[in-house]
Amino acid sequence: MSQLRIALAQVNTTVGDITGNAELTVEWTRKAAEAGAHLVVFPEMSLTGYPVEDLSLRKTFAEASKSALEALAVRLDDAGCGEVLTYVGYLDLDEAGVRDAAAALYRGEVVARQFKHHLPNYGVFDEHRYFKPGETLDVVRYHGLDIGMVICEDIWQDGGPVSALGKAGVDLVVAPNASPYERAKDDIRLPLIARRAAEAGAPLVYTNQVGGQDDLVFDGDSLVVGADGTLLARAPQFVEHLLVLDMDLTAGGHAGDGDLAGLHVRRKVLSEEPIPAYEASKEPVISEPLSDEAEVWSALVVGLRDYVHKNGFQSVIFGFSGGIDSAVVAALAADALGGDNVYGVSMPSKYSSEHSKSDASDLARRIGAHFREESVADMVDAYVSQLGLTGLAEENIQARTRGMLLMALSNSDGHLVLATGNKTELAVGYSTIYGDAVGGFAPIKDVFKTHVWQLARWRNAEAEKHGETPPIPENSITKPPSAELRPGQVDTDSLPDYALLDDILDDYVEGDRGYADLIAAGFDPETIDRVVRMVDRAEYKRRQYPPGTKITFKAFGRDRRLPITNAWREGEN
C-alpha cells in the first residue's frame, strides 16, 4: 500500500477575477502544503470562476486564463508549493474552440491538461453554446500511483471518462466540480459518486465549489469515496473548507492507454518512488449534511451575501411592510450582512394598518437594522388627484411610489435595493411591475409562500434554541397576508388559499404537468383554469424581475424559458 495525503480546497471564487482567483489558489495550496498534503484538488474552472457564460466567447478572456495558468504553476513553485500536485480548473482555447478545462501543476509546470467531455445542456446549463467536448484523458503517475481526472458533468452522465478510466486502470480519480445547489441534491450526490468510484475501480475525490454567483449558489459538500462506495470524508456545506485526509492506495502498475470507451487515454510519469511512510493524521472529517430548512436558509444567506459583496455593495435597503416576506428577507439580510448593514423603510399609505407599522418597527429592533418611516400618502395623492386614478391604477401607484422612494434612497446612499417577492407571487403575477418588483436582487424569488412561513418558524426556533431573540415578529407569521392597497384587503381576495395554490404551482411550474394531469391529481377544474391563466399571463413580469437565488429544481429564469407572446392555453388546445 502507498500512502498519500489529499486535500480538497472547497473555495469561493469570483467569476472574471482571474488575478484574485490565482491569489486564492496560491493561498489555499499553501494551506494544503502546511497540512502536509501531497495533492490538492480545486473546483471546476476555479481560475476563472464558474459559470463564465459568454465571457467564454471572448478570446481575450480565454487567452488571459491560459496565461494565468502558466504563471500560476511558476508562482506555486516560487511559494514553496511546487512539490504539491495541484489540480485547478480554467478556461482553455485551442484550434477546436473554447474548452472547460482542468490542469495538473507540479514543480512549476503544467504537467497535464484535460477538457470536459460531457457538456450539460439542460436547466441552467448552456455548455453546448460555449464549449467543445474533450476527447482525451491524462493519467499521471505520481509517487507510483496512477491518478486520473474527470470534470463535473463527466461524473453526472453515464459512460465516457469514468468508464474509460475504469478500463485503462487508475489508482485514484480526482473530480473538480462546480455543481449548483438545489433542494435534495444531497440525496443523489453521494450515491452517484459511490457508483462512479465503483465504475472506475478507484477512490474518487470530488471537490465542489462554494459560494454565490448571480442566481446560482454552490454548497460545497465535497466528498471522498472509496472504490467500494464507502464515504471516507465530507466537507461542511456553504463554507470554504480545506478537507484533508490520508489514504492508503494500492499502486496497480496500470498500463492501459490509447483509445478506450471512445476516448484517448494518455499517460505521463511524474515520479515512481512511493512516499516514505509517515504517521497518518487524525481521522478525516465526515460532516453531517444540514437539515432541509437549515440547508435552504444557508443557501439563501450565502447567495445574498455574495451577490451584494461581489458586486461592490456593503448594505441593502428595502421596504419593511410588517408582512412575512419582508420579515424573512430582513432576517436573511441580517444573517448575511449583519443588522447594521440592513436599512428598512416603512412606507405607510392611508390604507396601512397600525400593526403593519408596529411589526415593521419591531422587526428592525429584533435584527438591529436601521429603520425609518417615510409616508407615501401625500406622494400617492399627487398622482391620484392629478391623473384621476381609481381601482387597480390607484392600488398600483402606491406600490410604484414606494419603489421610486426606495430607488431614490439607494441612489442617495449607495444601498442595494432588495425585492421581497416570493415564488408564488412571481408565478401568478401578484406583484406590481416597477413597484414592489423593483430592486437589484430578490432573495426569496425561488421560495414558495408556504415555504416562506416554514423558514420563518424554523429561523425563530433556531434563535430560541440558542437563547437569542427570534428575528421575526410572531404577528408577521400569524396574521393574514395583505398588500394593504385598499381597505380590508387580504391576499385571498385575489388568490386561492396559499397551500392549495402552491400545490398546483408545484405541479404546473416545477413538474410541467398539463391540464389533464392537474385534473387527474384531483384539483378543481375552475381553480386550475384560474391559476394556469395567471401563470401564463405573468411571463412578462418574470422577465423583468431581479435575479434571486435558485433553490428548487426549476427556478424562474434559465430553468424555465417560455415565450412572452404565447397563444397556447392549457385546457383549450
Side-chain angles (χ1 to χ4, degrees):
M1 302 293 281
S2 296
Q3 286 181 292
L4 193 69
R5 182 168 293 174
I6 295 168
L8 293 76
Q10 180 174 291
V11 295
N12 185 350
T13 59
T14 300
V15 164
D17 186 8
I18 294 176
T19 300
N21 294 334
E23 294 284 353
L24 193 71
T25 305
V26 174
E27 175 190 348
W28 283 77
T29 303
R30 187 180 286 116
K31 290 180 181 180
E34 290 169 352
H38 307 108
L39 178 152
V40 61
V41 184
F42 285 84
E44 178 183 12
M45 294 188 76
S46 54
L47 193 54
T48 57
Y50 181 91
V52 295
E53 302 187 57
D54 277 15
L55 274 178
S56 63
L57 303 179
R58 293 188 184 179
K59 185 177 179 181
T60 51
F61 185 70
E63 294 293 352
S65 169
K66 291 175 64 177
S67 297
L69 180 75
E70 299 287 346
L72 178 60
V74 175
R75 285 190 60 193
L76 288 172
D77 195 41
D78 291 343
C81 303
E83 294 298 319
V84 179
L85 181 60
T86 303
Y87 284 87
V88 298
Y90 73 106
L91 184 72
D92 205 319
L93 176 66
D94 62 12
E95 63 281 354
V98 183
R99 311 282 200 162
D100 181 334
L105 312 181
Y106 184 60
R107 292 181 176 174
E109 297 181 355
V110 179
V111 295
R113 299 174 191 262
Q114 188 169 308
F115 306 141
K116 190 175 185 177
H117 176 70
H118 288 301
L119 302 177
N121 216 57
Y122 56 84
V124 299
F125 303 106
D126 289 306
E127 294 199 359
H128 283 189
R129 171 182 171 87
Y130 307 119
F131 305 127
K132 296 296 182 183
E135 305 295 342
T136 61
L137 302 176
D138 280 6
V139 178
V140 299
R141 181 165 293 177
Y142 177 60
H143 292 295
L145 295 167
D146 292 319
I147 302 171
M149 173 171 52
V150 294
I151 303 172
C152 200
E153 191 73 8
D154 291 341
I155 64 171
W156 290 88
Q157 299 295 329
D158 292 330
V162 175
S163 178
L165 291 177
K167 289 179 169 61
V170 291
D171 305 316
L172 181 71
V173 178
V174 299
N177 268 256
S179 181
Y181 168 77
E182 62 190 44
R183 290 181 76 183
K185 197 164 193 175
D186 237 13
D187 297 344
I188 60 174
R189 180 182 282 147
L190 178 57
L192 171 75
I193 294 171
R195 290 198 307 272
R196 295 296 180 244
E199 187 179 350
L204 196 151
V205 177
Y206 168 99
T207 302
N208 193 28
Q209 179 172 311
V210 69
Q213 169 58 29
D214 293 346
D215 54 345
L216 300 181
V217 67
F218 300 83
D219 65 327
D221 194 29
S222 300
L223 306 165
V224 181
V225 174
D228 61 354
T230 302
L231 177 63
L232 303 177
R234 186 176 212 157
Q237 293 173 278
F238 298 107
V239 294
E240 290 189 302
H241 185 80
L242 186 72
L243 183 64
V244 179
L245 77 157
D246 287 296
M247 299 192 74
D248 292 317
L249 301 169
T250 301
H254 308 285
D257 59 8
D259 294 332
L260 296 166
L263 295 163
H264 187 76
V265 178
R266 306 179 299 201
R267 292 185 180 270
K268 182 171 184 175
V269 176
L270 301 180
S271 57
E272 291 280 12
E273 288 300 312
I275 292 168
Y278 62 89
E279 184 177 349
S281 61
K282 61 184 180 181
E283 287 295 310
V285 171
I286 301 181
S287 299
E288 284 294 321
L290 297 172
S291 68
D292 180 60
E293 301 303 350
E295 187 179 82
V296 169
W297 191 269
S298 297
L300 297 174
V301 165
V302 170
L304 172 57
R305 178 191 299 136
D306 277 359
Y307 189 87
V308 170
H309 288 163
K310 290 181 181 181
N311 285 288
F313 291 91
Q314 296 300 319
S315 55
V316 294
I317 189 169
F318 53 99
F320 277 27
S321 69
I324 185 63
D325 294 327
S326 66
V328 166
V329 169
L332 286 167
D335 284 355
L337 308 170
D340 195 47
N341 291 308
V342 178
Y343 290 75
V345 186
S346 173
M347 297 172 284
S349 72
K350 64 181 181 181
Y351 300 122
S352 297
S353 62
E354 285 303 317
H355 65 73
S356 290
K357 291 186 280 187
S358 61
D359 290 340
S361 176
D362 185 24
L363 169 66
R365 179 188 58 78
R366 288 167 178 264
I367 65 172
H370 300 271
F371 182 73
R372 64 196 287 179
E373 183 175 307
E374 297 287 350
S375 173
V376 298
D378 291 343
M379 302 180 217
V380 170
D381 283 346
Y383 280 103
V384 170
S385 60
Q386 180 168 332
L387 300 177
L389 302 179
T390 60
L392 182 62
E394 181 187 2
E395 292 180 23
N396 285 347
I397 201 62
Q398 296 171 63
R400 291 188 173 118
T401 300
R402 290 176 174 129
M404 287 190 295
L405 192 156
L406 289 172
M407 288 307 303
L409 293 175
S410 170
N411 292 160
S412 173
D413 300 330
H415 311 302
L416 176 70
V417 178
L418 299 183
T420 61
N422 60 67
K423 188 171 189 174
T424 305
E425 294 171 351
L426 193 58
V428 297
Y430 193 62
S431 64
T432 303
I433 198 165
Y434 320 124
D436 56 317
V438 76
F441 195 71
I444 59 172
K445 175 183 181 178
D446 199 31
V447 184
F448 284 116
K449 184 75 170 190
T450 50
H451 195 196
V452 173
W453 275 306
Q454 292 169 16
L455 288 172
R457 294 187 182 99
W458 173 85
R459 183 62 184 87
N460 276 4
E462 285 295 297
E464 290 174 345
K465 188 187 302 183
H466 294 94
E468 300 166 352
T469 301
I472 300 168
E474 185 63 23
N475 198 43
S476 293
I477 299 174
T478 56
K479 66 184 177 184
S482 169
E484 293 191 335
L485 299 178
R486 62 178 181 266
Q489 181 186 27
V490 290
D491 288 4
T492 49
D493 294 342
S494 306
L495 301 173
D497 176 77
Y498 276 117
L500 171 61
L501 179 56
D502 282 354
D503 277 348
I504 296 174
L505 293 174
D506 185 58
D507 281 354
Y508 185 56
V509 174
E510 301 274 322
D512 274 331
R513 300 180 74 176
Y515 189 85
D517 295 325
L518 296 172
I519 292 289
F523 297 115
D524 171 64
E526 186 177 335
T527 305
I528 295 171
D529 192 62
R530 179 184 173 198
V531 171
V532 165
R533 272 154 181 70
M534 285 192 291
V535 173
D536 291 349
R537 283 198 301 264
E539 186 62 35
Y540 78 100
K541 287 188 178 182
R542 290 189 287 271
R543 291 285 188 96
Q544 299 179 66
Y545 208 76
T549 303
K550 166 185 163 68
I551 63 162
T552 65
F553 171 72
K554 185 167 287 185
F556 290 124
R558 285 181 288 184
D559 275 336
R560 187 179 188 271
R561 311 178 196 186
L562 292 175
I564 296 173
T565 305
N566 175 18
W568 173 263
R569 293 291 179 264
E570 285 290 335
E572 293 182 3
N573 295 282

